[in-house]
Amino acid sequence: STWGKRSEIVCCLSYHHVMPSVAIPSCSLLTPGQLFAGSQNVQHGIHSKEENWKVNVRIHHCDLASGYLCGSMEALNIPSAETSVITFWEGEIIDGINHTFFTGKWDSSKMNDYDHWSKLEGFQDMPETVWQDGGKTASLHELSHIFFRIKEKFFVNVGPECGLTIAGFYYASFDRQRGCIQGLYYDPHTSPYQKLILQAVPQGQNGFAFPHYELR
């Protein structure tokens, strides 16, 4: 559907309307132990060469009722690092009950939220009223995509001196039918629209190595 002019969207962002929401249906791929593998394109500056990192993401916990999930992210073949870099992350599932499409933190504005969500697969099916209704919609449980934010919390196997930053966060959409995740990294101090593409790895497939770390 047509979203209309950006100016019209800005005008309606401040209008809130309470809508009933239904819990997001469960998904067999968003379960503890599930591995996703893919890549992220990274550019450290306007004039720097774009890098393409191999990335593995493993789900540790998912609670759709509370809109929460968490896991580990491993970035490989990073030119500036001697080893792969693993981080622990937490996620906010957009369900209209616990979390909305409005981030409200991490240096993100409502206009920035719209700009990033609208670039992700599946969001074109979102009703226009989502921005008029406080970043909520009652139809989330009917969509083929699950939307969530990923915020890396700390480094697991390296220290902050590794030269990488986890100050930003990811806007992400998960395609239930194809088992793929598309994400956009946002950090006002880094290159914009760094794309993350991941595909679910069938259980029992050993094509990707992921070290075991105990998180406390």
PDB file of all heavy atoms in Angstrom, residues 117-135:
ATOM      1  N   TRP A 117      12.263   0.655   9.548  1.00  0.00           N
ATOM      2  CA  TRP A 117      11.276  -0.422   9.420  1.00  0.00           C
ATOM      3  C   TRP A 117      10.774  -0.540   7.991  1.00  0.00           C
ATOM      4  O   TRP A 117      10.582  -1.643   7.482  1.00  0.00           O
ATOM      5  CB  TRP A 117      10.094  -0.179  10.354  1.00  0.00           C
ATOM      6  CG  TRP A 117      10.325  -0.385  11.816  1.00  0.00           C
ATOM      7  CD1 TRP A 117      10.116   0.525  12.818  1.00  0.00           C
ATOM      8  CD2 TRP A 117      10.777  -1.579  12.480  1.00  0.00           C
ATOM      9  NE1 TRP A 117      10.421  -0.017  14.043  1.00  0.00           N
ATOM     10  CE2 TRP A 117      10.831  -1.313  13.866  1.00  0.00           C
ATOM     11  CE3 TRP A 117      11.152  -2.839  12.024  1.00  0.00           C
ATOM     12  CZ2 TRP A 117      11.225  -2.257  14.798  1.00  0.00           C
ATOM     13  CZ3 TRP A 117      11.554  -3.796  12.956  1.00  0.00           C
ATOM     14  CH2 TRP A 117      11.586  -3.505  14.326  1.00  0.00           C
ATOM     15  N   SER A 118      10.560   0.586   7.340  1.00  0.00           N
ATOM     16  CA  SER A 118       9.975   0.572   6.004  1.00  0.00           C
ATOM     17  C   SER A 118      10.901  -0.022   4.950  1.00  0.00           C
ATOM     18  O   SER A 118      10.465  -0.337   3.841  1.00  0.00           O
ATOM     19  CB  SER A 118       9.571   1.991   5.585  1.00  0.00           C
ATOM     20  OG  SER A 118      10.695   2.851   5.525  1.00  0.00           O
ATOM     21  N   LYS A 119      12.182  -0.186   5.276  1.00  0.00           N
ATOM     22  CA  LYS A 119      13.145  -0.775   4.341  1.00  0.00           C
ATOM     23  C   LYS A 119      13.252  -2.295   4.511  1.00  0.00           C
ATOM     24  O   LYS A 119      13.958  -2.957   3.737  1.00  0.00           O
ATOM     25  CB  LYS A 119      14.526  -0.137   4.527  1.00  0.00           C
ATOM     26  CG  LYS A 119      14.632   1.288   4.010  1.00  0.00           C
ATOM     27  CD  LYS A 119      16.029   1.861   4.247  1.00  0.00           C
ATOM     28  CE  LYS A 119      16.213   3.191   3.528  1.00  0.00           C
ATOM     29  NZ  LYS A 119      15.266   4.220   3.976  1.00  0.00           N
ATOM     30  N   LEU A 120      12.572  -2.857   5.500  1.00  0.00           N
ATOM     31  CA  LEU A 120      12.660  -4.288   5.767  1.00  0.00           C
ATOM     32  C   LEU A 120      11.538  -5.066   5.083  1.00  0.00           C
ATOM     33  O   LEU A 120      10.412  -4.572   4.947  1.00  0.00           O
ATOM     34  CB  LEU A 120      12.621  -4.550   7.274  1.00  0.00           C
ATOM     35  CG  LEU A 120      13.804  -4.017   8.084  1.00  0.00           C
ATOM     36  CD1 LEU A 120      13.584  -4.295   9.565  1.00  0.00           C
ATOM     37  CD2 LEU A 120      15.110  -4.651   7.621  1.00  0.00           C
ATOM     38  N   GLU A 121      11.849  -6.296   4.684  1.00  0.00           N
ATOM     39  CA  GLU A 121      10.864  -7.153   4.045  1.00  0.00           C
ATOM     40  C   GLU A 121       9.682  -7.406   4.978  1.00  0.00           C
ATOM     41  O   GLU A 121       9.852  -7.561   6.178  1.00  0.00           O
ATOM     42  CB  GLU A 121      11.502  -8.491   3.664  1.00  0.00           C
ATOM     43  CG  GLU A 121      12.519  -8.408   2.542  1.00  0.00           C
ATOM     44  CD  GLU A 121      13.064  -9.770   2.171  1.00  0.00           C
ATOM     45  OE1 GLU A 121      12.627 -10.767   2.777  1.00  0.00           O
ATOM     46  OE2 GLU A 121      13.919  -9.833   1.283  1.00  0.00           O
ATOM     47  N   GLY A 122       8.506  -7.436   4.401  1.00  0.00           N
ATOM     48  CA  GLY A 122       7.311  -7.710   5.165  1.00  0.00           C
ATOM     49  C   GLY A 122       6.614  -6.482   5.693  1.00  0.00           C
ATOM     50  O   GLY A 122       5.424  -6.522   6.016  1.00  0.00           O
ATOM     51  N   PHE A 123       7.354  -5.376   5.777  1.00  0.00           N
ATOM     52  CA  PHE A 123       6.748  -4.184   6.375  1.00  0.00           C
ATOM     53  C   PHE A 123       5.761  -3.514   5.420  1.00  0.00           C
ATOM     54  O   PHE A 123       4.911  -2.747   5.851  1.00  0.00           O
ATOM     55  CB  PHE A 123       7.825  -3.186   6.803  1.00  0.00           C
ATOM     56  CG  PHE A 123       7.331  -2.195   7.819  1.00  0.00           C
ATOM     57  CD1 PHE A 123       7.209  -2.555   9.152  1.00  0.00           C
ATOM     58  CD2 PHE A 123       6.974  -0.906   7.448  1.00  0.00           C
ATOM     59  CE1 PHE A 123       6.730  -1.661  10.101  1.00  0.00           C
ATOM     60  CE2 PHE A 123       6.510  -0.001   8.388  1.00  0.00           C
ATOM     61  CZ  PHE A 123       6.384  -0.382   9.718  1.00  0.00           C
ATOM     62  N   GLN A 124       5.869  -3.803   4.126  1.00  0.00           N
ATOM     63  CA  GLN A 124       4.939  -3.209   3.178  1.00  0.00           C
ATOM     64  C   GLN A 124       3.514  -3.720   3.399  1.00  0.00           C
ATOM     65  O   GLN A 124       2.550  -3.105   2.917  1.00  0.00           O
ATOM     66  CB  GLN A 124       5.375  -3.493   1.735  1.00  0.00           C
ATOM     67  CG  GLN A 124       5.334  -4.963   1.345  1.00  0.00           C
ATOM     68  CD  GLN A 124       6.623  -5.687   1.695  1.00  0.00           C
ATOM     69  OE1 GLN A 124       7.473  -5.152   2.406  1.00  0.00           O
ATOM     70  NE2 GLN A 124       6.778  -6.903   1.183  1.00  0.00           N
ATOM     71  N   ASP A 125       3.378  -4.815   4.132  1.00  0.00           N
ATOM     72  CA  ASP A 125       2.052  -5.348   4.441  1.00  0.00           C
ATOM     73  C   ASP A 125       1.452  -4.712   5.690  1.00  0.00           C
ATOM     74  O   ASP A 125       0.320  -5.043   6.070  1.00  0.00           O
ATOM     75  CB  ASP A 125       2.130  -6.869   4.645  1.00  0.00           C
ATOM     76  CG  ASP A 125       2.627  -7.586   3.399  1.00  0.00           C
ATOM     77  OD1 ASP A 125       2.322  -7.118   2.290  1.00  0.00           O
ATOM     78  OD2 ASP A 125       3.335  -8.607   3.543  1.00  0.00           O
ATOM     79  N   MET A 126       2.188  -3.821   6.312  1.00  0.00           N
ATOM     80  CA  MET A 126       1.725  -3.200   7.550  1.00  0.00           C
ATOM     81  C   MET A 126       0.649  -2.151   7.260  1.00  0.00           C
ATOM     82  O   MET A 126       0.784  -1.360   6.332  1.00  0.00           O
ATOM     83  CB  MET A 126       2.909  -2.532   8.257  1.00  0.00           C
ATOM     84  CG  MET A 126       2.662  -2.241   9.724  1.00  0.00           C
ATOM     85  SD  MET A 126       2.480  -3.754  10.691  1.00  0.00           S
ATOM     86  CE  MET A 126       4.052  -4.541  10.362  1.00  0.00           C
ATOM     87  N   PRO A 127      -0.431  -2.118   8.024  1.00  0.00           N
ATOM     88  CA  PRO A 127      -1.458  -1.092   7.829  1.00  0.00           C
ATOM     89  C   PRO A 127      -0.894   0.311   8.051  1.00  0.00           C
ATOM     90  O   PRO A 127      -0.023   0.509   8.897  1.00  0.00           O
ATOM     91  CB  PRO A 127      -2.501  -1.437   8.911  1.00  0.00           C
ATOM     92  CG  PRO A 127      -2.244  -2.865   9.245  1.00  0.00           C
ATOM     93  CD  PRO A 127      -0.765  -3.066   9.091  1.00  0.00           C
ATOM     94  N   GLU A 128      -1.373   1.262   7.277  1.00  0.00           N
ATOM     95  CA  GLU A 128      -0.901   2.643   7.418  1.00  0.00           C
ATOM     96  C   GLU A 128      -1.178   3.194   8.813  1.00  0.00           C
ATOM     97  O   GLU A 128      -0.467   4.074   9.289  1.00  0.00           O
ATOM     98  CB  GLU A 128      -1.573   3.531   6.370  1.00  0.00           C
ATOM     99  CG  GLU A 128      -1.207   3.187   4.944  1.00  0.00           C
ATOM    100  CD  GLU A 128      -1.855   4.129   3.948  1.00  0.00           C
ATOM    101  OE1 GLU A 128      -2.211   5.247   4.351  1.00  0.00           O
ATOM    102  OE2 GLU A 128      -1.996   3.751   2.782  1.00  0.00           O
ATOM    103  N   THR A 129      -2.190   2.680   9.462  1.00  0.00           N
ATOM    104  CA  THR A 129      -2.596   3.209  10.766  1.00  0.00           C
ATOM    105  C   THR A 129      -1.618   2.899  11.882  1.00  0.00           C
ATOM    106  O   THR A 129      -1.791   3.388  12.999  1.00  0.00           O
ATOM    107  CB  THR A 129      -3.969   2.635  11.158  1.00  0.00           C
ATOM    108  OG1 THR A 129      -3.926   1.198  11.057  1.00  0.00           O
ATOM    109  CG2 THR A 129      -5.055   3.157  10.230  1.00  0.00           C
ATOM    110  N   VAL A 130      -0.579   2.072  11.599  1.00  0.00           N
ATOM    111  CA  VAL A 130       0.372   1.726  12.655  1.00  0.00           C
ATOM    112  C   VAL A 130       1.017   2.979  13.240  1.00  0.00           C
ATOM    113  O   VAL A 130       1.290   3.045  14.441  1.00  0.00           O
ATOM    114  CB  VAL A 130       1.445   0.746  12.132  1.00  0.00           C
ATOM    115  CG1 VAL A 130       2.329   1.396  11.088  1.00  0.00           C
ATOM    116  CG2 VAL A 130       2.311   0.215  13.275  1.00  0.00           C
ATOM    117  N   TRP A 131       1.245   3.999  12.416  1.00  0.00           N
ATOM    118  CA  TRP A 131       1.896   5.213  12.908  1.00  0.00           C
ATOM    119  C   TRP A 131       0.912   6.140  13.610  1.00  0.00           C
ATOM    120  O   TRP A 131       1.298   6.947  14.442  1.00  0.00           O
ATOM    121  CB  TRP A 131       2.587   5.938  11.756  1.00  0.00           C
ATOM    122  CG  TRP A 131       3.595   5.051  11.092  1.00  0.00           C
ATOM    123  CD1 TRP A 131       3.529   4.496   9.860  1.00  0.00           C
ATOM    124  CD2 TRP A 131       4.806   4.560  11.677  1.00  0.00           C
ATOM    125  NE1 TRP A 131       4.620   3.695   9.632  1.00  0.00           N
ATOM    126  CE2 TRP A 131       5.419   3.718  10.721  1.00  0.00           C
ATOM    127  CE3 TRP A 131       5.436   4.755  12.909  1.00  0.00           C
ATOM    128  CZ2 TRP A 131       6.633   3.066  10.961  1.00  0.00           C
ATOM    129  CZ3 TRP A 131       6.638   4.106  13.151  1.00  0.00           C
ATOM    130  CH2 TRP A 131       7.228   3.272  12.191  1.00  0.00           C
ATOM    131  N   GLN A 132      -0.360   5.989  13.300  1.00  0.00           N
ATOM    132  CA  GLN A 132      -1.380   6.798  13.970  1.00  0.00           C
ATOM    133  C   GLN A 132      -1.760   6.191  15.313  1.00  0.00           C
ATOM    134  O   GLN A 132      -2.297   6.876  16.176  1.00  0.00           O
ATOM    135  CB  GLN A 132      -2.627   6.900  13.086  1.00  0.00           C
ATOM    136  CG  GLN A 132      -2.360   7.521  11.726  1.00  0.00           C
ATOM    137  CD  GLN A 132      -3.566   7.420  10.803  1.00  0.00           C
ATOM    138  OE1 GLN A 132      -4.527   6.736  11.122  1.00  0.00           O
ATOM    139  NE2 GLN A 132      -3.494   8.091   9.669  1.00  0.00           N
ATOM    140  N   ASP A 133      -1.484   4.913  15.455  1.00  0.00           N
ATOM    141  CA  ASP A 133      -1.896   4.190  16.660  1.00  0.00           C
ATOM    142  C   ASP A 133      -0.744   3.904  17.618  1.00  0.00           C
ATOM    143  O   ASP A 133      -0.678   2.851  18.238  1.00  0.00           O
ATOM    144  CB  ASP A 133      -2.581   2.875  16.267  1.00  0.00           C
ATOM    145  CG  ASP A 133      -3.862   3.124  15.483  1.00  0.00           C
ATOM    146  OD1 ASP A 133      -4.576   4.090  15.807  1.00  0.00           O
ATOM    147  OD2 ASP A 133      -4.137   2.368  14.536  1.00  0.00           O
ATOM    148  N   GLY A 134       0.204   4.817  17.695  1.00  0.00           N
ATOM    149  CA  GLY A 134       1.287   4.680  18.670  1.00  0.00           C
ATOM    150  C   GLY A 134       2.273   3.582  18.359  1.00  0.00           C
ATOM    151  O   GLY A 134       2.855   2.985  19.267  1.00  0.00           O
ATOM    152  N   GLY A 135       2.478   3.279  17.067  1.00  0.00           N
ATOM    153  CA  GLY A 135       3.420   2.227  16.696  1.00  0.00           C
ATOM    154  C   GLY A 135       2.873   0.833  16.909  1.00  0.00           C
ATOM    155  O   GLY A 135       3.626  -0.131  16.996  1.00  0.00           O
TER     156      GLY A 135
END
